[in-house]
Amino acid sequence: MATSPLTLTELTELTSGLNRLARNLWWSWDQDAQDVFHDLSPRGWQNLYHNAVAILHELSEYELRMRLNDPAFAEKVRKVLSKFEAYLNQPDTWAAGAATGLKERPVAYFSAEFAFHETLPIAAGGLGALAGDHAKSASDLGLPFVGISLFYREGYFQQAVNHENWQTEYYTLLNPKNLPLEPVLNARGEPLVCSVRLAASTVFFHAWRVNIGRVPVYLLDTNRPENEPHFRDLTLRVYGGDSTTRVLQEIVLGVGGVRLLRALGYTPSTFHMNEGHAAFLTLELIREKLAAGHTLQAAAEATTRECLFTTHTPVEAGHDRFSSELMSYAAHAFTVDLKVSHEELMDLGRVRAGDLSESFCMTVLALRYSRAANGVSELHGLVSREMWQHFYGSKTVEEVPIGHVTNGVHLVGWMKGTVRRFWRAKYQQLHPDKGDLDWLADANTVEFWKEASDPACVSDSELWALRYRLRRELVEFTRRRLLLQGQILGRNDFITFDGFLNPDALTIGFARRFATYKRAPLIFDQFENMVKLVKDSARPIQFIFAGKAHPRDDSGKAYIQKVIHLSKFSELKGHLVFIENYDIHVARMMVSGCDIWLNNPRRPLEASGTSGMKTTSHGCLNLSILDGWWREGFDGTNGFAIGPDSHPSNIDEQDRVDSFNLYKSLTEEVIPEFFNRDANGIPRQWIYRIRRSLATLAAEYSTWRMVQEYTRKYYLPPVS
Ligand SMILES: *Cc1c(COP(=O)(O)O)cnc(C)c1O
């Protein structure tokens, strides 16, 4: 069949459609959309780190036009664009039926960090990943929702490791033009500029809009010419600088965020504070109401009805505290706005009013002005009630009004391409009459994962083949990264790392922030035993580690140093590796390619943990302390537990017992089951566990479930 070149109108439609698509991160969870950008430039896809906007910039207008003259490719693009349109305009979303009350008054979700995609590194860890996934599922569910955060133009640091195996940090400048960011403009087409008062200055900011499917997220940016230089750099880095930077950033986030929303015409029904960082928004809401003529008490009560607070950690350092001196310097404007004295302002962040020894705690401020508060797992809810009981006077622990919603992940977004294609094809076989929008919803349901995990849908050998493919992809990815890491340091004692890692080996992954309570090197407490296991060539095992320590956390850096040091021991070389610069791409590679996802925090400090939830759809199994989500998720058949549902109160005792139990689980359950193969070479018991993990965990620990739970429990009914 002869085909004529596209008409100019068609061409314009497709190119402008592609430009629009690249600036909506929806493409990152739709495989066909991703494939279009990959196909435009396969090398660019890798070298530009999966950056759709940058890939379009790489292609000349002429090349793009000529490429679209390929009828098959043009058809692919057309299909993706119409799918995108259908998604944006979907009338029958979950929220259209279940949350009609929020239609005119969306949920405004404030978070100091959001992790959406590896090209926009404006998050430090799990809190950001959760916020990003919350926004993606809010979009999929059709929930009226708007996000607020800061635009950190140097993002979070990039990690390298020096010759002493010590973490070093470096920063690269993000270029908004090459990112899925759109400047927020006023009616005259100029940047919309708002201001906040910081210390004795007025500081101006503009904003960038990130499109997350149907949901906008606004990133505030103080990099404006009219600001003093130190204020221009205020939003430079995620949690950058000292506590002065921190408190000023948090005023921009909380107060500035509310002002931006007002300037854009929003009247949110709920202001959801994801962690205490955003709690200054409550004071701005009170100020607004005072200005409208309310009394202080009425303003405070009305504000409390509008606000919701999620606390994310029992670790003390995770709760911001600011000294009286700092507050009087940085936050003086609040005393003017609220017509209160400095000590009265301080009392809003204190458990005991008038206690001069208490600093200003953002968690206390958030609890004070929230209609409800929650932790992020059942155990964390309980621990938080105990932790904050003293704030609630005479209430018993049970009466403390802090509930819980267990975290989840955006399941389809976390799937590696291989796996997304795999389950999508299975879905098509099971439900030939269903379309793309159905898949996006049904991929989060218990019913689908029950069907999908059944041998009638996928055989043992097929699942095992998938596991082999994913492990191979991870091994090759890791070798390439090791090569690049070596090049950065100018190490040339290896030409390649092809002898490193074994695609047949039981692959154990550990990747998370190197906060000390997560105890990264715990498994090597039994060093001699571990060496013996690694040396058993009949049952090969290997370890892949990754993670960043906070720039000022020397104990965390010492843990990194220990792991890398061990990886250079001749006994462990090639069987233990550390991938530098952990981010959400490394995370995706690891949760898909590993067989075991190791999690050994000091209980009960892992409030939820979410990386383990990203493993399920890939058939990787969890081996974890019964802390956070795993205490709820583990049922004896769907993964492995380290130790019982309790812990010694003495920390040294806990470390000793946990290390013993970890070794015991590995040698008595994990390793024997993985290597117990039948006549066809298939580990039947292991695969049964994968089926159980798919059936019982995938849907339950999704943000699709989580956002519905927030909506039912906390977002509805909206305040009138
Ligand atoms: C998911 C994720 C985390 C959170 O992992 P935890 O299990 O909570 O430790 C941290 N960092 C990145 C990059 C992630 O993708």
Side-chain angles (χ1 to χ4, degrees), residues 125-126 129 414 511-513 518 582-584 587 606 609-612 614:
W414 276 105
R512 46 196 85 245
R513 286 183 305 115
K518 295 183 187 248
Y582 183 49
D583 67 3
I584 61 184
E606 192 61 271
T610 51
S611 58
K614 301 165 190 167

Side-chain angles (χ1 to χ4, degrees), residues 66-241:
M66 296 302 116
R67 296 287 297 276
L68 288 166
N69 278 335
D70 169 359
F73 184 63
E75 184 51 25
K76 228 171 155 176
V77 174
R78 232 179 257 121
K79 267 198 175 145
V80 163
L81 291 178
S82 76
K83 200 200 294 194
F84 180 43
E85 284 307 314
Y87 177 86
L88 292 179
N89 301 307
Q90 187 184 356
D92 56 342
T93 60
W94 173 81
T100 40
L102 301 177
K103 203 161 172 218
E104 303 302 323
R105 304 194 53 193
V107 172
Y109 183 90
F110 284 60
S111 180
E113 44 174 309
F114 275 99
F116 297 120
H117 189 260
E118 50 267 32
T119 54
L120 194 56
I122 53 168
L127 183 70
L130 178 82
D133 285 4
H134 194 125
K136 288 173 185 173
S137 284
S139 169
D140 288 346
L141 290 163
L143 189 71
F145 186 92
V146 51
I148 294 284
S149 191
L150 301 180
F151 178 59
Y152 307 100
R153 67 184 196 285
E154 287 192 349
Y156 196 52
F157 74 89
Q158 313 269 322
Q159 178 191 53
V161 175
N162 70 16
H163 288 96
E164 276 89 50
N165 305 328
W166 196 251
Q167 169 182 298
T168 58
E169 299 92 26
Y170 64 98
Y171 293 85
T172 48
L173 203 59
L174 299 176
N175 177 2
K177 287 203 176 66
N178 257 340
L179 289 169
L181 297 172
E182 293 171 348
V184 177
L185 306 175
N186 63 20
R188 293 185 302 280
E190 299 152 351
L192 176 66
V193 177
C194 305
S195 68
V196 288
R197 266 170 305 150
L198 300 180
S201 306
T202 295
V203 173
F204 298 89
F205 63 87
H206 56 240
W208 304 92
R209 178 185 159 122
V210 197
N211 298 305
I212 305 299
R214 291 180 271 245
V215 158
V217 176
Y218 296 99
L219 308 178
L220 281 45
D221 184 355
T222 61
N223 183 24
R224 294 214 48 87
E226 55 272 50
N227 288 336
E228 300 157 54
H230 61 288
F231 287 132
R232 288 186 69 159
D233 284 345
L234 184 60
T235 51
L236 193 62
R237 296 175 177 178
V238 183
Y239 307 137

